[in-house]
Amino acid sequence: MKRLLLLACVALFATPALADEGMWTFDNFPAAAVKVKYGVTIDQKWLDDVRGAAVRLSGGCSASVVTATGLVLTNHHCVRACAQNLSTTATDYVQEGFIAAKREDEKLCSGMQAEILDGITDMTARVNAASQGKNGADYVKARDAAIAAIEKEGCNGREDKFRCQVIALYQGGQYKLYTYRKYADVRLVFAPEVSMAFFGGDPDNFNFPRYDLDFSIVRLYEDGKPAVTPTHLKWTAAEPKAGQPVFVAGNPGSTERLLTVEQLEGERDLDHPDILLMLSEFRGRLIRFSAESTEHARIAESTLFGTENSYKAYKGRFEALLDPKLMASKRVADDDLKARLKANPKLAAEIGDPWGDLAKIEAERPQLQDQYAWLEARAGYRSTLFGYARSLVRAAAEREKPNGERLREYGESRLALLQKNTLDARPVYPELEQLALEFWLSKLRENLTADGAGTKLFLGKQSPEGLAAKLATSKLSDPAYRKALWDGGSAAIKASDDPLIQFVLATDGASRAIRKIYEDRISGPADRASEKIAKARFAVYGSAGYPDATFSLRLSYGAVEGWTEKGVAVPPVTTYGGLWERATGEFPFKLPPRWTAAKGKLNDKTVFDFATTNDIIGGNSGSPLIGAKGEVLGAVFDGNIESLGGDFWYDGSVNRAVVASTAAITEALRKIYHQDGLVAELTAK
Amino acid sequence: MKRLLLLACVALFATPALADEGMWTFDNFPAAAVKVKYGVTIDQKWLDDVRGAAVRLSGGCSASVVTATGLVLTNHHCVRACAQNLSTTATDYVQEGFIAAKREDEKLCSGMQAEILDGITDMTARVNAASQGKNGADYVKARDAAIAAIEKEGCNGREDKFRCQVIALYQGGQYKLYTYRKYADVRLVFAPEVSMAFFGGDPDNFNFPRYDLDFSIVRLYEDGKPAVTPTHLKWTAAEPKAGQPVFVAGNPGSTERLLTVEQLEGERDLDHPDILLMLSEFRGRLIRFSAESTEHARIAESTLFGTENSYKAYKGRFEALLDPKLMASKRVADDDLKARLKANPKLAAEIGDPWGDLAKIEAERPQLQDQYAWLEARAGYRSTLFGYARSLVRAAAEREKPNGERLREYGESRLALLQKNTLDARPVYPELEQLALEFWLSKLRENLTADGAGTKLFLGKQSPEGLAAKLATSKLSDPAYRKALWDGGSAAIKASDDPLIQFVLATDGASRAIRKIYEDRISGPADRASEKIAKARFAVYGSAGYPDATFSLRLSYGAVEGWTEKGVAVPPVTTYGGLWERATGEFPFKLPPRWTAAKGKLNDKTVFDFATTNDIIGGNSGSPLIGAKGEVLGAVFDGNIESLGGDFWYDGSVNRAVVASTAAITEALRKIYHQDGLVAELTAK
């Protein structure tokens, strides 16, 4: 048993991964292993074509270009906030769906930017040289300054169409410059009704068999016109077949497969309970808020969805962390690396004891975590207005500093997207703002205690409810006012009488101070130690493994395949026929009227959703599921419950990606939505 | 280090406990140790007098008789639900306080019964004989039948004034018959405003220094007249002094100090996260519900308080369970007992391997826990109407069976209090009922999944919201209807068209079935194994230790004492003067008008709240804090944050009980509330 666990883990670095494990970078894809297992040849052209069609969406999703006319396939839940932002009390595009009858009706998704990877350049040596010999906050500062400079140089003079980003891979073992072609004008073309896209709602989320039409179509625009996109995946209405080899090109958000046991124990004991309890209470408040009126339900829609989705994902991860097999396997992996390191005294002397360093950091972390979370990392919680205020206040201050001395998220290369996010028009809902601010301030007081210095500074003698009500009156809901403050810089910020701007001005020093302490004592040293472990791994195992996910482009391989649950085989596909059986008429198993009316008009045998063995994680939402010929067979929209442990390890026997088929999408667009024009464009007929 | 930990733990059974540890039964109080440490003589008369004045309140609190006229001192939070039940939309006794100007104004607390311990008889041999050689559900049934018989015989012919209850001590190592004098008519005499009784609210809960006047006065009635209670504690307005020896007589609810490491790990990984997440979401729903209107805030008052109080208590316990020192010390204790057992082959053969049994049970428990919780243990969650329906349906069925074959809570000796709880008039709030039922049903579906058999039976094709709305229309809010169903038994129940009665009738079989499975595979075998460990402990260490708390009368000793927190001394007392400094004018630091107006009229030097080293836990709320001469110096109302680990161990260096002084109460009754008559009665002047 131990031996098997050892293999499964050490495999990350020692040999090509077993099963279909791995979120591979495009410059290190194990094409030979794929050839052996699936008989498919993945050559450089295949990789280049797929890379050129794979899209990262700035909100945290993936997508793919599927026509030469800028059309992009992604998930419905990736445009859910967009659809809500475009809605009004009178028209709810989330409930009713969104259909642009003609191009002029396609509508801008506020804050959304699409990015297509153009090239990868190794910058490890340069970043390492800059941070050599430094520790704590000094290390963070030197590293971040080098990264900021690389990013600025990389896109110099072409910032309007490109974005440069340095991606840390293997926990800092490599730094690579990813250059993206960017599209800041993304417009919504088609979205089905949420009750169809998210049929089964939270109860069915992360479940399979599944019956969700979780797709949407957006279009990239350039200079006000549809972008010309000759590099694109080929749309197909062909159905996936059991056993068929398939690929996912997308941007998995983050995994923690290379963490040490001590770090995972911190995740289990400190982070996950804390996040889950926070989400759980916020969820309760939102559920009740939504029950108060149709309008409340409408404006809290995407916030509640996001909260429940995160809750369920973290819960699954927490359960994985409680599995003693997981920790045992990680311990075996840590011990193996340590033993091999010990056998190489020269390397051992160079590496030192980063595991010991991480254990010490983990022991100190609980003392700083609450302050860091509630004064800095979670400040404002989900208040849009607070987000605006902080961005404006900090951007004004940071823009006055040299690029290399700024807080990292205000570096030159990041400002354009930040500015777009801050200035794009979108609705702000004062009642929901107040709810979010109340929640944040009440948790701040609860966690820092009524007598804590942070509580006294942020709340003074005010109650969370009273202060939130005051802050929610902010004028920052007005995009023109935000633009005036962005353009006016520090002088305008200081002159502003806006209560939220004033509040952030008064408290930001304390937020920055705890952040500095945290970086100096926790995150900086932890990054440093992780870099050392990465170095040891490369030295001992070579570089045949894949790095943890970092919301950067990856390719995974696998096959259409079910699994066995408690001795019962779960088939790999569902069909439209099953949908009618599952509908009860009660939310969230209630179909939209258009669908209820259409029963009998669809081919009930069409493959609807399906499961594959591809190794994915949150952030992969919207990724194209690609056949061996580069054709797009569906949009990945979920993983099964068993996949939630995928944050920490990949278990090929049960871990499954869940996909909405282009076959079902095509059928629905034709027969339910009567979008023959859109289908013609997608199928290039 | 290890040696010290060993001593601290093994001390539970080997020698009198170190520090002021222990919740001692009245028949095994370590008077000699108290004499040595504090120089106080606790003789049988002292014990009898205190026992005769110590009160258990059926809602889960403690109290004490303090006059010959039936007056009883307890906490405000022990009558908070009573005050709410007596309120209407027009008059809110929680916010405004309750003052009975004359005896006729004293009002019945619905469902409240006061119980005074009259005698203790050992029944271990009889219970053991009945269950010998049995296992699983057979064991549970035999044991419970024996207990039911003992309870019935014990109070035979005098059930109107007495209640007999068999208490399992030392995890089933002993069974003792506790005979109580009972008072089913308890009336509210005085309660301060909640903003004074619970000044600082949830943020200050479990904190010290503290400024809460958390007391109330109720009166025992008999045959419609104030009870004559010659045995009572003597009221004093004398202030407690630092270092003064003090005693707490009360009913600590439950502790888990004798659990094995495997059981504690189950508490840490399974129970605590689960309960905390449930409470957290329910809290969020209640907070938002309460914010909707003054009336919603009023009707959700005591439910929200109870939820937040539980949440904070469980959170502190969870943090204690995450402390590696705790588990290490428990492991040392387990290992010591196992080693000593091994050294005695005869005993070892007799005991077997109960630790191994418990480890196996803990490994199986997660598979059954959700079903057991949501279909049985937490069914209806906090819905009063569901509670009525289940009690009525089950009482009707169980009363038709012989006493020994009933579900234990429907045994003859339990029926009187159950009947009182079911039939006493009290307001039911349909909106709050719906909220509770929705929450329960949504959690049931979430935890058992949409496809689970339990979900299908309980919800069918209905949504949690739709079904809850239907059930909340139940007529069981009418006490007359409840009485008709109670009196009418099974025939009336079956003939009822009440939706909630029908719902419970349709689902109760499934609830009972999972309970039986759970008792057969989890709780029965666990009790059996725990009994064996208790037997081993008695054999190896003797019986000088104290049993875990079981909401039965205990006596703890200690002294008025502060502690040191992060190097800073926390003084043991607060005074009225500090109250004015802490008041901000904003909830929950806003004083009631009567108090704001009274600033300057009180003696600001009066000791308000104080801390003692007594070993207490939830259930001790309202317990008298007693001086060496048997005088009552205050009402215990809380523990400090550090005391929350007290569920698992007692750390004398930081674990503190928190008490509202009779000195402050007397001062407030005189100068703020002008209750000279009540003061005269209390002080017998």
Side-chain angles (χ1 to χ4, degrees):
Chain A
M1 189 57 174
K2 272 207 167 169
R3 192 177 164 74
L4 263 179
L5 290 169
L6 176 69
L7 279 173
C9 268
V10 173
L12 289 181
F13 276 86
T15 59
L18 299 175
D20 297 334
E21 177 171 351
M23 302 166 177
W24 303 90
T25 55
F26 271 67
D27 56 359
N28 192 30
F29 187 73
V34 172
K35 179 78 183 173
V36 169
K37 181 158 185 190
Y38 289 110
V40 178
T41 303
I42 300 298
D43 57 18
Q44 194 57 44
K45 180 173 186 318
W46 194 102
L47 290 170
D48 289 345
D49 286 351
V50 167
R51 177 179 51 70
V55 173
R56 180 169 75 168
L57 294 177
S58 54
C61 274
S62 298
S64 59
V65 182
V66 289
T67 69
T69 52
L71 283 188
V72 165
L73 170 69
T74 186
N75 290 148
H76 177 273
H77 73 264
C78 296
V79 304
R80 196 161 167 163
C82 170
Q84 186 186 317
N85 286 337
L86 294 172
S87 301
T88 62
T89 306
T91 311
D92 186 344
Y93 293 124
V94 177
Q95 294 302 323
E96 298 157 23
F98 178 91
I99 303 176
K102 48 188 188 305
R103 292 218 173 154
E104 301 84 76
D105 296 339
E106 297 174 3
K107 295 197 184 180
L108 182 79
C109 282
S110 157
M112 187 180 280
Q113 179 164 292
E115 297 163 348
I116 296 176
L117 183 59
D118 192 59
I120 302 177
T121 319
D122 192 359
M123 292 290 174
T124 311
R126 181 164 164 194
V127 175
N128 283 351
S131 65
Q132 198 168 14
K134 294 191 165 63
N135 280 303
D138 284 347
Y139 159 75
V140 172
K141 196 175 168 183
R143 180 196 64 190
D144 290 358
I147 288 173
I150 292 166
E151 290 179 348
K152 186 162 163 47
E153 288 165 25
C155 280
N156 209 11
R158 49 174 189 159
E159 293 92 345
D160 56 331
K161 294 200 186 291
F162 287 85
R163 173 181 173 188
C164 284
Q165 185 182 22
V166 171
I167 308 276
L169 299 168
Y170 304 97
Q171 264 71 19
Q174 290 180 354
Y175 292 93
K176 297 211 172 170
L177 174 63
Y178 276 47
T179 306
Y180 295 93
R181 182 72 169 82
K182 73 177 181 185
Y183 299 86
D185 182 350
V186 180
R187 303 190 194 176
L188 187 58
V189 175
F190 182 92
E193 307 88 336
V194 69
S195 51
M196 191 60 220
F198 195 45
F199 178 77
D202 182 67
D204 269 7
N205 200 11
F206 297 107
N207 279 356
F208 192 85
R210 192 73 164 280
Y211 305 88
D212 286 7
L213 200 69
D214 193 352
F215 89 102
S216 68
I217 305 284
V218 296
R219 193 191 301 274
L220 312 184
Y221 275 73
E222 227 175 357
D223 307 322
K225 292 191 297 265
V228 179
T229 49
T231 307
H232 64 86
L233 301 180
K234 191 174 161 50
W235 188 274
T236 177
E239 290 177 322
K241 302 274 178 290
Q244 180 176 354
V246 285
F247 303 84
V248 173
N251 302 272
S254 79
T255 53
E256 307 180 281
R257 295 183 188 173
L258 299 180
L259 296 196
T260 67
V261 167
E262 289 77 13
Q263 289 179 298
L264 289 171
E265 286 171 343
E267 291 278 330
R268 180 192 67 196
D269 297 342
L270 184 62
D271 303 297
H272 277 71
D274 183 53
I275 290 168
L276 280 166
L277 290 174
M278 176 188 75
L279 290 170
S280 187
E281 187 189 326
F282 192 62
R283 178 189 189 188
R285 292 187 185 216
L286 282 174
I287 285 173
R288 183 67 207 178
F289 178 85
S290 301
E292 286 161 5
S293 68
T294 310
E295 179 64 358
H296 276 195
R298 185 184 76 77
I299 66 178
E301 220 296 314
S302 66
T303 309
L304 177 57
F305 163 68
T307 301
E308 292 192 326
N309 188 56
S310 295
Y311 177 81
K312 207 163 180 178
Y314 275 106
K315 186 105 187 292
R317 291 167 49 160
F318 182 53
E319 277 158 19
L321 285 166
L322 289 173
D323 183 347
K325 290 198 299 295
L326 175 72
M327 289 295 174
S329 79
K330 295 294 182 180
R331 205 174 292 279
V332 167
D334 283 0
D335 289 349
D336 183 80
L337 179 53
K338 286 186 217 175
R340 289 170 193 245
L341 190 60
K342 206 173 164 188
N344 181 342
K346 185 166 167 290
L347 183 65
E350 192 187 333
I351 298 296
D353 180 18
W355 292 273
D357 295 343
L358 287 171
K360 272 181 223 135
I361 293 162
E362 285 300 319
E364 187 180 359
R365 199 157 64 90
Q367 281 83 59
L368 291 171
Q369 192 76 354
D370 276 336
Q371 284 195 71
Y372 175 64
W374 296 105
L375 303 184
E376 169 65 13
R378 293 177 190 158
Y381 195 51
R382 295 199 55 146
S383 160
T384 304
L385 291 175
F386 184 92
Y388 288 148
R390 172 174 272 190
S391 294
L392 289 165
V393 167
R394 288 194 169 173
E398 296 299 305
R399 278 148 66 204
E400 292 172 355
K401 299 177 187 170
N403 190 26
E405 291 179 18
R406 299 181 190 171
L407 294 175
R408 72 182 71 83
E409 65 272 28
Y410 295 88
E412 278 300 334
S413 64
R414 322 268 173 125
L415 279 180
L417 182 55
L418 178 72
Q419 182 176 5
K420 174 179 166 61
N421 260 314
T422 307
L423 304 189
D424 272 6
R426 51 177 286 200
V428 172
Y429 316 106
E431 310 96 303
L432 195 59
E433 289 296 308
Q434 182 163 345
L435 185 148
L437 289 165
E438 268 179 26
F439 178 70
W440 165 49
L441 293 166
S442 75
K443 291 291 119 181
L444 184 158
R445 183 177 67 186
E446 181 173 319
N447 285 283
L448 307 188
T449 77
D451 297 308
T455 306
K456 285 183 176 168
L457 176 67
F458 279 70
L459 276 166
K461 294 203 160 192
Q462 300 171 94
S463 67
E465 297 76 21
L467 177 56
K470 194 176 110 187
L471 299 180
T473 65
S474 167
K475 291 172 290 184
L476 293 172
S477 50
D478 175 9
Y481 188 60
R482 298 200 296 273
K483 184 161 193 325
L485 291 181
W486 181 278
D487 293 343
S490 283
I493 294 287
K494 275 171 200 150
S496 168
D497 62 353
D498 188 78
L500 201 39
I501 292 287
Q502 288 301 320
F503 177 74
V504 173
L505 278 175
T507 56
D508 201 44
S511 298
R512 286 171 178 261
I514 184 66
R515 174 168 169 166
K516 175 144 188 345
I517 291 170
Y518 195 83
E519 288 182 349
D520 210 8
R521 288 162 59 181
I522 306 295
S523 58
D527 287 355
R528 198 44 147 170
S530 299
E531 263 189 24
K532 287 183 187 164
I533 292 175
K535 198 169 180 180
R537 280 198 181 108
F538 285 131
V540 166
Y541 301 122
S543 60
Y546 61 93
D548 262 324
T550 51
F551 197 46
S552 57
L553 190 64
R554 304 296 176 86
L555 186 61
S556 82
Y557 63 93
V560 177
E561 197 175 306
W563 73 101
T564 302
E565 197 172 302
K566 290 177 192 160
V568 179
V570 180
V573 304
T574 64
T575 62
Y576 271 135
L579 173 66
W580 316 115
E581 286 167 36
R582 197 159 181 79
T584 64
E586 291 281 340
F587 173 83
F589 298 97
K590 183 179 180 169
L591 293 170
R594 216 185 244 125
W595 282 79
T596 316
K599 191 174 171 181
K601 293 182 192 163
L602 287 174
N603 177 0
D604 277 356
K605 291 184 181 155
T606 307
V607 169
F608 190 175
D609 294 337
F610 59 106
T612 79
T613 61
N614 296 78
D615 189 5
I616 59 143
I617 202 107
N620 266 118
S621 280
S623 297
L625 193 285
I626 306 168
K629 293 176 185 163
E631 76 278 23
V632 58
L633 288 156
V636 175
F637 72 93
D638 209 355
N640 61 355
I641 284 278
E642 290 81 353
S643 77
L644 291 172
D647 213 39
F648 310 110
W649 60 1
Y650 174 87
D651 179 354
S653 68
V654 292
N655 189 325
R656 293 294 176 271
V658 177
V659 189
S661 78
T662 43
I665 293 169
T666 310
E667 175 93 351
L669 284 174
R670 277 197 184 115
K671 299 191 184 161
I672 306 280
Y673 299 102
H674 310 296
Q675 296 299 302
D676 295 336
L678 182 55
V679 171
E681 194 177 346
L682 288 169
T683 54
K685 276 175 192 164
Chain B
M1 189 59 174
K2 273 207 167 173
R3 193 177 163 74
L4 264 178
L5 289 170
L6 176 68
L7 279 173
C9 266
V10 173
L12 289 181
F13 276 87
T15 59
L18 299 174
D20 296 335
E21 177 172 350
M23 301 165 177
W24 303 91
T25 55
F26 270 67
D27 57 359
N28 192 29
F29 187 73
V34 172
K35 178 77 183 175
V36 169
K37 181 158 184 190
Y38 289 111
V40 177
T41 304
I42 301 297
D43 57 18
Q44 194 57 43
K45 179 173 185 322
W46 194 102
L47 291 170
D48 289 346
D49 287 349
V50 167
R51 178 181 50 70
V55 174
R56 181 170 75 167
L57 294 176
S58 54
C61 274
S62 299
S64 59
V65 183
V66 288
T67 70
T69 53
L71 283 188
V72 164
L73 171 69
T74 186
N75 290 149
H76 177 273
H77 73 263
C78 295
V79 304
R80 197 162 166 163
C82 170
Q84 185 185 318
N85 287 338
L86 294 172
S87 301
T88 62
T89 306
T91 311
D92 186 344
Y93 293 125
V94 177
Q95 293 301 324
E96 297 157 24
F98 179 89
I99 302 176
K102 46 189 188 306
R103 291 217 173 154
E104 301 82 77
D105 296 339
E106 296 173 4
K107 295 197 183 179
L108 183 79
C109 282
S110 156
M112 188 179 282
Q113 178 163 294
E115 297 163 347
I116 296 175
L117 182 59
D118 192 58
I120 303 176
T121 318
D122 193 359
M123 292 291 175
T124 311
R126 181 164 164 193
V127 176
N128 284 350
S131 66
Q132 199 168 12
K134 295 193 163 62
N135 280 302
D138 285 345
Y139 159 75
V140 172
K141 196 175 169 185
R143 179 195 63 189
D144 290 356
I147 288 173
I150 292 167
E151 291 178 348
K152 186 161 164 47
E153 288 165 27
C155 281
N156 210 9
R158 49 176 187 158
E159 294 92 347
D160 55 332
K161 293 199 187 293
F162 287 85
R163 174 180 175 189
C164 284
Q165 185 182 20
V166 171
I167 309 275
L169 299 168
Y170 304 97
Q171 263 71 20
Q174 291 180 354
Y175 292 92
K176 297 212 173 171
L177 174 63
Y178 276 47
T179 307
Y180 296 92
R181 182 72 168 81
K182 74 177 181 186
Y183 299 86
D185 182 350
V186 180
R187 303 190 192 176
L188 186 57
V189 175
F190 182 92
E193 307 89 336
V194 69
S195 50
M196 190 60 220
F198 195 45
F199 178 78
D202 182 66
D204 269 7
N205 201 10
F206 297 108
N207 278 355
F208 192 84
R210 192 73 164 279
Y211 305 88
D212 285 8
L213 200 68
D214 193 352
F215 89 102
S216 68
I217 304 285
V218 297
R219 193 191 302 274
L220 311 184
Y221 276 72
E222 227 175 357
D223 307 322
K225 292 190 298 266
V228 178
T229 49
T231 305
H232 64 86
L233 300 180
K234 192 175 159 51
W235 188 273
T236 176
E239 292 176 320
K241 302 273 178 292
Q244 180 176 353
V246 285
F247 303 84
V248 173
N251 302 273
S254 79
T255 53
E256 307 180 281
R257 294 184 188 171
L258 300 181
L259 297 196
T260 68
V261 167
E262 290 77 13
Q263 289 178 298
L264 290 170
E265 286 171 344
E267 290 278 331
R268 181 191 66 196
D269 296 344
L270 183 62
D271 302 296
H272 277 71
D274 183 53
I275 290 168
L276 280 167
L277 290 174
M278 176 188 75
L279 289 170
S280 187
E281 187 188 325
F282 192 62
R283 179 189 188 189
R285 293 187 185 216
L286 283 174
I287 284 173
R288 183 68 208 179
F289 178 85
S290 301
E292 285 162 5
S293 68
T294 310
E295 180 64 359
H296 275 195
R298 185 184 77 76
I299 66 179
E301 220 295 317
S302 65
T303 309
L304 177 56
F305 162 69
T307 301
E308 293 194 325
N309 189 56
S310 295
Y311 177 81
K312 207 163 180 179
Y314 276 106
K315 185 107 187 288
R317 291 168 50 160
F318 181 53
E319 277 158 19
L321 286 165
L322 289 173
D323 183 347
K325 290 198 299 296
L326 175 72
M327 288 296 175
S329 79
K330 296 293 184 181
R331 204 173 292 279
V332 167
D334 281 0
D335 289 348
D336 183 79
L337 179 53
K338 285 186 219 175
R340 289 170 193 245
L341 189 61
K342 205 174 167 188
N344 182 342
K346 185 166 169 289
L347 183 64
E350 191 185 334
I351 298 297
D353 180 18
W355 292 273
D357 296 343
L358 287 171
K360 271 181 226 135
I361 293 162
E362 284 300 319
E364 188 180 359
R365 199 157 64 91
Q367 282 83 59
L368 292 171
Q369 191 75 354
D370 276 336
Q371 284 195 71
Y372 175 64
W374 295 105
L375 302 185
E376 169 65 12
R378 293 177 189 156
Y381 195 51
R382 295 198 55 147
S383 159
T384 303
L385 290 174
F386 184 92
Y388 288 149
R390 173 174 273 190
S391 294
L392 289 165
V393 167
R394 288 194 169 173
E398 297 299 305
R399 277 148 66 204
E400 292 172 355
K401 300 177 188 169
N403 190 26
E405 291 178 19
R406 300 180 190 172
L407 294 176
R408 71 181 73 80
E409 65 272 28
Y410 296 87
E412 278 300 333
S413 64
R414 321 268 174 126
L415 279 181
L417 182 55
L418 178 72
Q419 182 176 6
K420 174 180 167 59
N421 260 315
T422 307
L423 303 189
D424 272 7
R426 51 177 286 200
V428 172
Y429 316 106
E431 309 97 302
L432 194 59
E433 289 297 308
Q434 182 163 344
L435 185 147
L437 290 165
E438 268 180 27
F439 178 71
W440 166 49
L441 293 166
S442 75
K443 292 291 118 179
L444 184 157
R445 183 177 66 185
E446 181 174 320
N447 284 283
L448 307 189
T449 78
D451 297 309
T455 307
K456 285 182 176 167
L457 176 67
F458 278 69
L459 276 165
K461 294 203 161 191
Q462 301 172 92
S463 67
E465 298 74 21
L467 178 55
K470 193 176 108 186
L471 299 180
T473 64
S474 167
K475 291 172 289 184
L476 292 173
S477 51
D478 175 8
Y481 188 60
R482 298 199 296 272
K483 184 162 193 325
L485 291 180
W486 181 278
D487 293 344
S490 284
I493 293 286
K494 275 169 200 151
S496 168
D497 62 354
D498 188 79
L500 200 40
I501 292 287
Q502 289 301 320
F503 176 74
V504 173
L505 279 174
T507 57
D508 201 44
S511 299
R512 286 170 177 262
I514 184 65
R515 174 170 169 164
K516 171 135 191 353
I517 291 170
Y518 194 84
E519 287 182 351
D520 210 8
R521 288 161 60 181
I522 307 293
S523 59
D527 287 356
R528 198 43 147 172
S530 300
E531 263 189 24
K532 286 184 188 163
I533 292 176
K535 196 169 182 180
R537 279 198 182 108
F538 285 131
V540 166
Y541 302 123
S543 62
Y546 61 92
D548 262 325
T550 52
F551 198 45
S552 58
L553 190 63
R554 305 296 175 88
L555 186 60
S556 82
Y557 63 92
V560 177
E561 197 174 305
W563 74 99
T564 303
E565 197 171 302
K566 292 179 189 157
V568 180
V570 179
V573 304
T574 64
T575 62
Y576 269 136
L579 174 65
W580 316 115
E581 287 166 35
R582 198 158 181 80
T584 64
E586 291 280 341
F587 173 82
F589 298 98
K590 182 178 179 171
L591 292 171
R594 218 184 242 124
W595 281 79
T596 316
K599 190 173 172 183
K601 292 181 191 163
L602 286 174
N603 178 359
D604 276 356
K605 292 184 180 154
T606 306
V607 169
F608 190 174
D609 293 339
F610 59 105
T612 79
T613 61
N614 296 79
D615 189 5
I616 61 145
I617 203 107
N620 266 118
S621 280
S623 297
L625 192 286
I626 305 168
K629 292 175 187 165
E631 75 279 22
V632 58
L633 288 155
V636 175
F637 71 93
D638 210 355
N640 60 356
I641 284 279
E642 290 80 354
S643 77
L644 291 171
D647 213 39
F648 311 109
W649 60 0
Y650 174 86
D651 178 354
S653 67
V654 293
N655 189 324
R656 294 292 176 272
V658 177
V659 189
S661 78
T662 44
I665 293 168
T666 309
E667 175 93 351
L669 284 173
R670 277 198 183 114
K671 298 190 182 161
I672 306 279
Y673 299 103
H674 309 296
Q675 295 300 302
D676 295 337
L678 182 56
V679 172
E681 194 177 347
L682 288 169
T683 54
K685 276 173 191 164

